[in-house]
Amino acid sequence: MAFQDFDQISERRRLEKKQRLKQRIIIGVVVIVLLVSAAIAAFLIYLNKSQTDDVDEPLEEANINNGNNDQNKDNSSGLSSDGGNKDKKVTQNLKAIKTVCQSTDYKETCESRLEKSLSSKPSGIPEPNDFVKAAISAASDELDRAITQASTFMKVETASDNQKATFDVCKQVLGDAQNDFNHSRNGTVGTTTAPDLRSWLSAVMAYQQTCIDAITEDATRASIEQALKTTKELTSNSLAIVSSLHKESPSPSSAPAPATAPSRRLLSGNIDHDLPIWMTHDTRRLLKADAPSQKPNVTVAKDGSGDFPTISKALEKLPENYKGRYVIHIKGGIYEENVIITKKMVNITMYGDGSQKTIITGNKNFVDGVPTFLTATFAAIGEGFIARSIGFRNTAGPEKHQAVALRVQSDRSVFLNCRMEGYQDTLYVQTHRQFYRGCYIMGTIDFIFGDAAAVLQTCDIVIRKPMENQKNTVTAQGRIDKHETTGIVLQKCKISADSSLAPEKSKISSYLGRPWKEYSRTIVMESEISDVIQPEGWLPWDKDFALQTLYYAEYNNIGAGSRVKGRVKWPGYQANFKKEEAVRYTVSQFIQGESWLKGSDVPVRLGSYS
């Protein structure tokens, strides 16, 4: 019985041992499952944190360009909910906007407007062109609002005749600004298109300032200036964004010549591949050959031997929607009329029988109550204007102060062997890209002025005798924003005194220029400067205005007035201007002349002479 009891106890112990083992196995499995679950949870937490950290890193330009691809990868991972993707997209967009706005001068305005414009973008980080278009659209929309507001300050019914004229100027140039905004809205940032965008946006800046300057009544001017404040900031931001996203091309000294001309054509018909984008083969021959031997579309002759007796009549009869370049021959004679090549009159060529034989003359002036903008004897506005062998005069005289002979806002315009005669404000290089070759320009005060990107090459710059106690200044450049691509370049020109000034040049001070606006930019290079120019070279506008921010430079000039040793010591004067900096202001780079002048037989030097 004892042995039987022992066997029962042993069996019970064996069963108990087996039960404990089973319990241990179950507990072990549970522990392993818990450990694995904890590990998975930890991994997911780490992964989520890693993704969040990636979003917090600063976005470089490469991130902006590839943002859509990154977003698509995140969406395919299946690790985030739709809400998480949306939050991530918002964060990425904000970071991208901050990065883009770093190049601007008005960052808060930039960020708020871009965030508002891009918030409705369906997916992904915006592409560079999305930022450009959003910035330009914001500026354009703000201009529309500003024009509406400004119109409330320009009450025509209570204005004097002079005030009405200034209001007309303001309305006209703001309309021109809207037009260039419309061009810009469809623009993209590329090697060939970015310069166009920057030219148009720079013109918008100039037009807005022209409106403000035109208003003579202080209170009204201050109100309009305030109305335009935000749109000027937004335009400046647009320029900065385009510039930051478009890298400058290499200098002509190191860059190979392009194999072919740009493919975009502005004219129909057969055009040789090496011609400018807006110039036909007939135009090339016109510029190369003696002008009178070319068959024009119409002829203007004061003596009645042509199709029209006046230039204005010929322009009135210009065919609508004409395809190609329209050529007008103006026979010798003095044409007393104020001529306007309107915005719709594109690709017009006018040639005369010589700049001292075919002369267009007028005498409108500021003293008689005409705004400076409207005093021009001849105004070229329509794109692609060409003038050859024509004289432009304003005979108002020095006592009438501002009196413009020629005002130019035509983009990619050319003036060959022309003559501009006046005193104060002779040549108004208002906006866009302009090229002058072999011209003769006379004046006294600020007689080459404006805010275009203008290159004057192999021109005679002749300084006349001013009124008593006046000083002469050749240039007054009007750049108002450091992002503008504008400036006046005198290359291979000759600067001298005319016969009326020469005997008294030691008594009358003459200078290369003075800063009309805060970021005034003028370069005199490879030119002959006579001793009519004072040793200091440049004259202040008003005390220390713009002396820190202007950009004046001289390079490789000759002549008694070219010595830079005694030049001004302003912070903005480039005392050590080198060739590698000078090439930036040659025809090829500064006004992109290689794309629209090379191969045209326009006598042009694309690079430097030395």
Side-chain angles (χ1 to χ4, degrees):
M1 188 69 183
F3 288 106
Q4 184 179 5
D5 292 340
F6 179 79
D7 290 338
Q8 291 176 349
I9 293 171
S10 298
E11 180 65 15
R12 187 171 62 250
R13 287 178 177 175
R14 185 181 66 81
L15 292 173
E16 289 174 351
K17 185 176 181 181
K18 183 177 180 180
Q19 183 66 27
R20 285 196 299 270
L21 178 61
K22 184 177 180 180
Q23 290 175 344
R24 288 192 187 110
I25 292 173
I26 292 172
I27 292 171
V29 170
V30 172
V31 170
I32 291 172
V33 169
L34 291 173
L35 289 174
V36 170
S37 299
I40 292 173
F43 174 76
L44 291 174
I45 292 171
Y46 170 81
L47 182 61
N48 184 60
K49 184 177 184 301
S50 177
Q51 290 176 331
T52 304
D53 290 342
D54 287 342
V55 171
D56 289 338
E57 292 177 0
L59 290 172
E60 302 297 335
E61 186 174 333
N63 298 120
I64 296 172
N65 289 332
N66 297 321
N68 287 338
N69 293 335
D70 293 340
Q71 182 68 32
N72 290 337
K73 291 177 183 177
D74 290 339
N75 287 341
S76 64
S77 68
L79 295 175
S80 301
S81 66
D82 291 340
N85 280 339
K86 183 177 179 181
D87 291 342
K88 179 181 178 182
K89 186 196 77 171
V90 171
T91 304
Q92 288 176 322
N93 285 356
L94 290 175
K95 291 296 183 181
I97 288 169
K98 285 184 176 293
T99 300
V100 168
C101 290
Q102 281 302 306
S103 63
T104 68
D105 293 334
Y106 307 98
K107 294 179 178 58
E108 184 176 341
T109 304
C110 177
E111 291 174 10
S112 63
R113 293 305 177 97
L114 287 188
E115 183 180 350
K116 181 179 179 181
S117 298
L118 296 172
S119 61
S120 60
K121 185 172 174 61
S123 63
I125 302 175
E127 298 291 338
N129 283 325
D130 294 328
F131 289 104
V132 171
K133 290 180 179 180
I136 293 172
S137 293
S140 179
D141 292 343
E142 180 62 28
L143 177 63
D144 292 340
R145 186 203 63 78
I147 290 174
T148 300
Q149 184 179 356
S151 64
T152 63
F153 306 127
M154 297 185 287
K155 297 180 173 61
V156 177
E157 59 275 8
T158 59
S160 65
D161 289 342
N162 184 47
Q163 286 177 318
K164 289 177 183 178
T166 63
F167 295 165
D168 287 342
V169 171
C170 199
K171 292 173 183 176
Q172 180 178 330
V173 293
L174 292 182
D176 291 334
Q178 286 177 312
N179 187 66
D180 274 355
F181 264 143
N182 291 337
H183 285 312
S184 305
R185 278 178 181 269
N186 298 320
T188 57
V189 181
T191 303
T192 58
T193 54
D196 288 341
L197 273 176
R198 295 166 75 184
S199 175
W200 295 329
L201 293 171
S202 294
V204 170
M205 295 291 294
Y207 291 138
Q208 293 176 53
Q209 189 60 46
T210 300
C211 169
I212 295 168
D213 291 342
I215 305 301
T216 54
E217 200 272 315
D218 290 343
T220 303
R221 184 173 61 250
S223 297
I224 292 176
E225 188 168 15
Q226 182 60 36
L228 291 171
K229 180 178 181 294
T230 302
T231 189
K232 288 177 73 175
E233 291 180 359
L234 290 169
T235 309
S236 173
N237 287 346
S238 299
L239 265 169
I241 291 170
V242 173
S243 298
S244 68
L245 294 177
H246 173 251
K247 303 302 180 184
E248 295 290 341
S249 59
S251 65
S253 59
S254 61
T260 59
S263 59
R264 177 173 172 261
R265 305 294 183 190
L266 296 185
L267 295 180
S268 59
N270 295 324
I271 302 179
D272 296 340
H273 287 295
D274 61 346
L275 289 179
I277 57 178
W278 49 267
M279 195 173 288
T280 65
H281 182 68
D282 287 340
T283 302
R284 183 181 68 174
R285 291 192 299 108
L286 172 67
L287 294 171
K288 182 177 181 181
D290 293 334
S293 68
Q294 300 301 310
K295 182 175 177 57
N297 293 82
V298 295
T299 298
V300 175
K302 191 173 182 179
D303 61 8
S305 62
D307 300 296
F308 301 98
T310 68
I311 302 164
S312 298
K313 285 291 184 183
L315 293 173
E316 286 176 11
K317 299 299 182 180
L318 193 69
E320 291 187 13
N321 303 317
Y322 184 81
K323 302 298 182 182
R325 179 159 289 276
Y326 195 81
V327 180
I328 302 173
H329 174 209
I330 307 172
K331 286 189 174 182
I334 298 178
Y335 297 83
E336 299 178 7
E337 53 181 310
N338 291 88
V339 179
I340 300 176
I341 306 297
T342 68
K343 191 184 306 180
K344 294 181 179 180
M345 300 176 183
V346 299
N347 297 323
I348 302 293
T349 291
M350 288 185 176
Y351 69 90
D353 292 342
S355 64
Q356 297 190 74
K357 293 181 179 179
T358 299
I359 299 168
I360 306 168
T361 184
N363 62 2
K364 290 185 178 181
N365 62 84
F366 185 79
V367 171
D368 288 347
V370 181
T372 302
F373 181 90
L374 297 177
T375 63
T377 300
F378 191 102
I381 302 172
E383 183 178 358
F385 178 75
I386 298 175
R388 176 173 178 156
S389 303
I390 298 174
F392 305 94
R393 283 182 184 169
N394 191 310
T395 60
E399 67 278 2
K400 295 294 187 176
H401 300 293
Q402 297 96 323
V404 177
L406 173 65
R407 175 170 64 85
V408 183
Q409 69 183 73
S410 170
D411 194 15
R412 295 173 301 194
S413 51
V414 178
F415 291 82
L416 297 173
N417 302 327
C418 290
R419 189 179 181 96
M420 301 84 172
E421 296 181 38
Y423 286 87
Q424 183 172 349
D425 293 359
T426 302
L427 173 59
Y428 188 179
V429 290
Q430 187 186 356
T431 53
H432 296 123
R433 293 161 289 191
Q434 307 175 15
F435 178 66
Y436 299 78
R437 172 82 182 199
C439 293
Y440 188 95
I441 306 159
M442 299 179 67
T444 54
I445 301 171
D446 307 336
F447 65 96
I448 303 173
F449 78 108
D451 194 20
V455 177
L456 286 72
Q457 198 173 83
T458 66
C459 292
D460 279 327
I461 313 295
V462 182
I463 306 174
R464 309 176 86 167
K465 183 180 177 180
M467 293 175 63
E468 198 74 24
N469 298 320
Q470 286 185 333
K471 298 176 181 179
N472 289 319
T473 44
V474 175
T475 65
Q477 206 280 327
R479 185 165 166 254
I480 66 168
D481 188 275
K482 68 182 181 182
H483 300 293
E484 285 186 78
T485 57
T486 59
I488 295 172
V489 179
L490 307 181
Q491 184 186 23
K492 201 68 173 179
C493 293
K494 181 179 180 180
I495 302 172
S496 61
D498 85 332
S499 58
S500 67
L501 177 62
E504 301 184 55
K505 61 185 177 183
S506 61
K507 303 176 185 177
I508 299 172
S509 299
S510 298
Y511 302 86
L512 294 173
R514 59 177 181 159
W516 181 26
K517 300 298 179 184
E518 189 174 3
Y519 291 92
S520 180
R521 179 161 62 183
T522 302
I523 292 86
V524 183
M525 54 193 289
E526 303 171 316
S527 295
E528 181 180 344
I529 306 174
S530 77
D531 61 359
V532 69
I533 297 299
Q534 292 293 302
E536 12 341 359
W538 307 85
L539 183 70
W541 183 273
D542 182 19
K543 299 178 182 178
D544 61 351
F545 169 74
L547 303 188
Q548 298 277 344
T549 51
L550 59 77
Y551 190 97
Y552 288 164
E554 300 172 61
Y555 170 73
N556 205 24
N557 297 307
I558 61 172
S562 67
R563 291 187 290 269
V564 297
K565 185 176 180 180
R567 290 297 195 246
V568 293
K569 307 301 180 185
W570 304 337
Y573 178 74
Q574 310 301 305
N576 299 306
F577 198 66
K578 305 298 183 184
K579 181 176 181 177
E580 54 268 26
E581 296 167 293
V583 295
R584 294 171 52 203
Y585 299 98
T586 56
V587 171
S588 177
Q589 289 206 34
F590 192 53
I591 57 174
Q592 299 80 51
E594 193 156 1
S595 67
W596 56 280
L597 287 171
K598 184 179 179 181
S600 64
D601 287 334
V602 173
V604 58
R605 185 82 171 200
L606 293 174
S608 63
Y609 282 83
S610 56

